[in-house]
C-alpha cells in the first residue's frame, strides 16, 4: 500500500520532533532536508514503514550511536511484563482463551511511537486494558483462523513493537496449549527503527525461550517482501498461516494474496479512511477476504 500525503505529513512531523530536541537548528535543518529527499527518492509502491527504516539510517548520520527510543522501549517492555500476571489470569479464566489472548495482543498495538506519542500511547493502553474483552474480534475471521490452525503445521507471527511483544508471550503460550502440533516462528525487525521490537527485545521479554525468533533482515518498520531477508522470505513462503501484528505490517503486506491474518489498532487518519472505521478501532482482518481498498486518500 503506497504511502500518501497523510503519511508524509505524519512521518515528517515525527522526524522534526526527534531532530529539534537536540537543540542544534542547523543539524536539524540538514536532517529534515535529507528526510524530504528520502521521500522523493523512495521506490515506487513502498508503504510508509519503508520510509521509517530509511529515516532511522539517516538519523544515525547526524546523531551516531544514539538510539532515540532505547529507554522508551525498555520502559514499554517493563510495563507490560509487570502486567502479565493479570493478563495471564484473565486469559486462563476466559471461556475462549485464544480469543482473549488475541484481543490483548491487539491492545498492545497501542504502544506505537511511530504514530502516537509515548504519553498518548500509554494513556490509550491503560484505558484499553480495562475494555479489552469488550473490543470484539470479527467472528467470521476468528472462526476461519481457528479452523485453519487446527489443520496447520506451521504459524509465522510477524511482530511489531516493543512492549507489544510481551503481550504476544501470552498469545504464544495459548497457541502452544491449544495447537501443540504447530511449529511457531516469531519475526522481529532486522534493525533498530522507531520503537519496533528487535532480537534484543525478544530476548529481554523471553520470547526466544518459547519459540524460534527470526528477523526481517532490514531496519524496516513493516514487511516489505521485496526488501526482507532470505530467512523471513523462506518462513513467509513456507508458513501455513501467518499472523501479522500492527498497522505497519498491514500497510506493507495488504494485497499480497498470502494466507495472512491482520490484527492491529487503527491509529491514524489514513487507515481510518481506507478501512471506513473510527480512529482507535481494533481490526482483525483476513487478507484473502479483504474487499478492494482505495489507498490514496485526500
Amino acid at each position: 500500500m503506497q504511502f500518501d500525503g497523510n503519511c508524509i505529513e505524519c512521518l515528517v512531523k515525527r522526524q522534526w520532533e526527534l531532530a529539534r530536541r537536540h537543540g542544534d537548528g542547523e543539524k536539524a535543518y540538514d536532517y529534515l532536508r535529507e528526510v524530504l529527499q528520502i521521500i522523493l527518492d523512495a521506490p515506487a509502491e513502498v508503504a510508509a514503514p519503508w520510509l521509517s527504516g530509511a529515516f532511522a539510517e539517516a538519523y544515525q548520520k547526524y546523531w551516531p550511536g544514539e538510539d532515540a527510543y532505547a529507554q522508551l522501549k525498555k520502559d514499554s517492555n517493563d510495563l507490560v511484563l509487570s502486567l502479565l500476571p493479570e493478563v495471564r489470569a484473565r486469559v486462563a479464566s476466559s471461556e475462549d482463551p485464544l480469543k482473549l489472548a488475541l484481543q490483548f495482543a491487539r491492545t498492545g498495538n497501542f504502544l506505537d511511537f511511530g504514530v502516537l506519542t509515548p504519553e498518548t500511547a500509554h494513556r490509550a493502553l491503560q484505558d484499553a486494558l480495562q475494555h479489552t474483552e469488550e473490543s470484539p474480534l470479527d467472528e467470521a475471521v476468528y472462526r476461519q483462523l481457528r479452523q485453519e490452525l487446527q489443520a496447520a503445521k506451521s504459524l509465522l507471527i510477524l511482530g511489531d513493537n516493543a512492549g507489544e511483544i510481551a503481550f504476544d508471550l501470552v498469545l504464544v503460550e495459548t497457541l502452544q496449549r491449544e495447537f501443540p502440533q504447530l511449529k511457531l516462528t516469531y519475526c522481529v525487525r532486522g534493525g533498530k527503527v522507531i520503537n519496533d521490537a528487535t532480537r534484543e527485545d525478544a530476548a529481554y521479554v523471553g520470547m526466544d525461550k518459547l519459540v524460534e525468533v527470526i528477523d526481517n533482515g532490514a531496519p524496516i518498520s513493516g514487511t516489505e517482501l521485496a526488501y526482507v531477508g532470505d530467512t523471513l522470505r523462506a518462513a513467509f513462503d513456507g508458513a501455513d498461516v501467518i499472523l501479522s501484528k500492527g498497522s505497519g505490517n498491514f500497510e506493507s503486506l495488504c494485497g499480497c494474496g498470502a494466507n495472512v491474518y491482520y490484527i492491529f489498532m487503527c491509529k491514524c487518519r489514513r487507515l481510518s479512511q481506507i478501512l471506513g472505521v473510527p480512529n482507535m478501532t481494533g481490526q482483525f482482518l483476513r487478507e484473502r477476504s479483504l474487499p478492494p481498498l482505495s489507498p490514496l486518500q485526500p
Side-chain angles (χ1 to χ4, degrees):
M1 183 185 294
Q2 184 178 0
F3 67 90
D4 71 356
N6 287 295
C7 303
I8 294 172
E9 176 190 10
C10 181
L11 289 166
V12 171
K13 180 180 179 181
R14 286 282 172 264
Q15 300 317 302
W16 167 237
E17 290 170 349
L18 282 178
R20 70 175 178 176
R21 73 178 187 174
H22 292 280
D24 186 332
E26 183 175 352
K27 190 178 287 188
Y29 171 78
D30 290 340
Y31 173 64
L32 263 292
R33 285 178 61 90
E34 186 154 347
V35 164
L36 295 173
Q37 193 62 53
I38 288 169
I39 294 170
L40 290 173
D41 294 341
E45 305 301 324
V46 295
W50 186 95
L51 295 170
S52 295
F55 296 161
E57 292 182 352
Y59 185 88
Q60 287 300 310
K61 290 171 54 178
Y62 292 89
W63 297 282
E66 179 186 330
D67 184 348
Y69 293 93
Q71 188 61 48
L72 291 170
K73 290 171 66 177
K74 182 179 184 301
D75 291 346
S76 294
N77 286 330
D78 288 340
L79 169 64
V80 180
L81 287 172
S82 73
L83 297 171
L84 287 193
E86 176 191 349
V87 172
R88 286 190 172 105
R90 287 166 68 178
V91 168
S93 63
S94 172
E95 292 182 0
D96 191 338
L98 177 59
K99 179 183 288 187
L100 186 52
L102 284 164
Q103 288 169 298
F104 273 117
R106 183 176 63 186
T107 293
N109 189 232
F110 274 119
L111 292 169
D112 179 351
F113 304 151
V115 178
L116 304 176
T117 66
E119 296 76 19
T120 303
H122 284 141
R123 284 197 302 269
L125 176 66
Q126 293 290 354
D127 181 65
L129 283 173
Q130 305 309 313
H131 305 285
T132 293
E133 289 95 333
E134 303 162 24
S135 180
L137 297 179
D138 184 293
E139 286 295 333
V141 174
Y142 180 62
R143 286 195 302 271
Q144 182 70 35
L145 175 62
R146 286 201 70 104
Q147 179 180 331
E148 293 202 18
L149 290 177
Q150 290 283 2
K153 294 182 179 179
S154 60
L155 171 66
L156 170 65
I157 301 176
L158 301 174
D160 194 24
N161 301 313
E164 181 180 349
I165 191 176
F167 280 112
D168 293 345
L169 291 172
V170 181
L171 174 60
V172 166
E173 291 163 356
T174 306
L175 286 163
Q176 288 175 328
R177 283 193 297 269
E178 296 203 19
F179 306 99
Q181 87 286 358
L182 277 178
K183 179 185 184 299
L184 293 171
T185 304
Y186 192 97
C187 181
V188 295
R189 310 303 190 209
K192 295 178 180 179
V193 55
I194 320 180
N195 67 310
D196 287 17
T198 62
R199 287 181 180 271
E200 181 180 17
D201 298 293
Y204 188 84
V205 303
M207 183 64 77
D208 59 337
K209 294 180 174 60
L210 292 177
V211 295
E212 178 186 7
V213 174
I214 63 174
D215 66 63
N216 69 1
I220 295 177
S221 187
T223 306
E224 287 281 357
L225 292 175
Y227 296 91
V228 300
D230 293 342
T231 300
L232 173 55
R233 188 67 211 226
F236 189 94
D237 292 342
D240 293 324
V241 183
I242 300 163
L243 180 65
S244 168
K245 301 288 310 298
S247 55
N249 284 327
F250 172 73
E251 289 179 73
S252 50
L253 284 173
C254 178
C256 70
N259 193 26
V260 184
Y261 289 81
Y262 302 105
I263 189 162
F264 61 95
M265 300 303 303
C266 187
K267 302 182 296 289
C268 75
R269 179 176 61 203
R270 184 199 188 197
L271 282 184
S272 293
Q273 291 173 332
I274 290 172
L275 297 171
V277 299
N279 204 23
M280 301 297 187
T281 302
Q283 298 294 290
F284 186 45
L285 309 169
R286 183 173 182 249
E287 166 70 21
R288 292 175 176 173
S289 302
L290 286 175
L293 301 175
S294 300
L296 294 178
Q297 302 289 334

